[in-house]
Amino acid sequence: KHNWVLSKPGQMDAIAADGIAAGEGANYIKDGPNIIAHTKLVAPGTSDSVTFDAPAPGDYPFFCTFPGHNVLMKGTLTIK
C-alpha cells in the first residue's frame, strides 16, 4: 500500500512519525497545518488523485507515509 503526501519544508520526518502513530485506520496520515495535500492509502491495482493550489515558490517534499516507505519513496516538488 502507498500514499502521496506533500508537506511544508522540513516537516517530512515529523509527518511520517505522526502518520505511523495515527495507524492504518487513518491511512497513516494525521492531518495538520504542515500537510499541503495528500492522497488516501491505495492498495496495489488501485489509484487516487488529488487537486490542490500550488504553494508559494520553493521546494516542497513529497513522500509515502506507509511505515518505512518515506526512506526511499520521496522526492521534491519545486515551485518557481
Side-chain angles (χ1 to χ4, degrees):
K1 294 184 176 183
H2 303 288
N3 62 20
W4 181 88
V5 177
L6 181 66
S7 76
K8 291 183 178 178
Q11 300 302 311
M12 183 178 79
D13 291 339
I15 291 169
D18 284 347
I20 291 168
E24 187 173 0
N27 294 314
Y28 299 108
I29 300 167
K30 182 178 176 186
D31 283 320
N34 293 317
I35 295 177
I36 297 167
H38 66 82
T39 65
K40 65 182 180 181
L41 191 67
V42 295
T46 64
S47 64
D48 192 22
S49 63
V50 63
T51 302
F52 59 94
D53 292 328
D59 293 328
Y60 297 87
F62 64 85
F63 49 96
C64 178
T65 60
F66 190 87
H69 286 194
N70 68 305
V71 175
L72 296 174
M73 298 182 72
K74 60 185 177 180
T76 302
L77 173 67
T78 300
I79 306 293
K80 294 187 177 203

